[in-house]
Amino acid sequence: MYRIISGKWKAKKIAAPKNFDVRPTTDFAKEALFSILENKYDMQSISVLDLFAGIGSLTLEFASRGCQDITSVEMNPKHTAFINSTAADLDMALQINVQRGDVFDWLKKFRNKKSFEIVFSDAPFETEKKKYQEIISLVLNNRYLKNNGVLVVEHQSRMKFDHPNLIDTRKYGNVSFSFFEPNKEENTDNQE
């Protein structure tokens, strides 16, 4: 069970089936994250890529706050079906594009096709550090971020990243969000 914190569906509780093995971002951490993001972006005019979307805790939060262009990538077919049905129930189906697939394969397949202001990655907590680094590289090196974009990686607080694009890490108990800026490009004429 999780709760949409703000926006059109503020305080709406979302109950996932009991047999789902998920760990939605805590309300406390989610509230802090959106406070940071809403200081930088107008939610109604951005596009978001939610990697490892799980049962859609962040996807639905973005949609509730007015974001009209959300792509959610999740491998588990039960989870993608849950996001789709919940989005339909809440009249968010037109805002959310759910893609079923392995995040690593998806990032390789769709590289250089679309850029986003926010890319959010919440890989399973047991994911190895080198896999986190692969996600960071795939996102930053394949133009998934617009020039004003940010990659947000949710991870266990004991994991630390040393990366030239790392601009900030915020810790909320055993969960941390690390923020990465896009690669600097010499020619920015062809950016969206």
Side-chain angles (χ1 to χ4, degrees):
M1 167 99 71
Y2 64 87
R3 187 170 64 92
I4 294 177
I5 293 168
S6 188
K8 181 179 176 188
W9 292 98
K10 181 177 182 167
K12 171 82 176 152
K13 288 186 165 73
I14 310 287
K18 296 258 185 286
N19 60 346
F20 279 22
D21 179 26
V22 291
R23 173 196 48 79
T25 305
T26 65
D27 283 0
F28 174 65
K30 194 162 49 171
E31 211 157 344
L33 173 67
F34 275 89
S35 172
I36 293 165
L37 295 176
E38 285 183 318
N39 266 332
K40 183 170 172 149
Y41 299 105
D42 169 13
M43 288 291 146
Q44 288 158 13
S45 63
I46 62 166
S47 53
V48 174
L49 176 60
D50 185 6
L51 303 172
F52 305 97
I55 56 171
S57 169
L58 281 142
T59 291
L60 297 174
E61 189 71 44
F62 277 110
S64 178
R65 291 170 189 247
C67 186
Q68 298 300 309
D69 182 7
I70 306 155
T71 303
S72 302
V73 182
E74 170 56 47
M75 193 157 72
N76 186 318
K78 289 180 183 159
H79 295 180
T80 56
F82 181 80
I83 296 171
N84 277 324
S85 65
T86 305
D89 291 347
L90 301 179
D91 292 328
M92 297 174 170
L94 296 176
Q95 297 166 260
I96 300 169
N97 172 8
V98 181
Q99 302 268 311
R100 191 168 84 76
D102 174 82
V103 166
F104 296 94
D105 294 343
W106 191 92
L107 286 171
K108 289 171 189 161
K109 183 176 177 183
F110 291 101
R111 57 176 135 216
N112 301 325
K113 293 220 179 4
K114 181 174 178 180
S115 299
F116 303 85
E117 276 84 6
I118 299 172
V119 176
F120 183 81
S121 171
D122 182 12
F125 263 19
E126 64 276 5
T127 301
E128 296 173 26
K129 188 168 184 177
K130 69 179 187 198
K131 285 301 214 181
Y132 278 102
Q133 289 163 330
E134 184 180 346
I135 292 164
I136 294 164
S137 290
L138 282 167
V139 170
L140 296 180
N141 297 333
N142 293 294
R143 287 206 214 105
Y144 280 106
L145 284 182
K146 292 186 179 178
N147 288 338
N148 66 335
V150 66
L151 165 63
V152 184
V153 177
E154 183 173 339
H155 57 91
Q156 291 187 42
S157 291
R158 68 172 182 261
M159 187 180 296
K160 307 282 186 253
F161 292 106
D162 179 26
H163 193 282
N165 296 53
L166 179 67
I167 46 177
D168 195 8
T169 298
R170 300 285 180 95
K171 182 178 179 214
Y172 304 96
N174 66 345
V175 170
S176 286
F177 298 114
S178 288
F179 297 83
F180 298 85
E181 63 185 357
N183 289 337
K184 300 285 181 252
E185 293 188 34
E186 282 74 59
N187 177 9
T188 55
D189 295 345
N190 60 358
Q191 285 292 299
E192 285 183 57

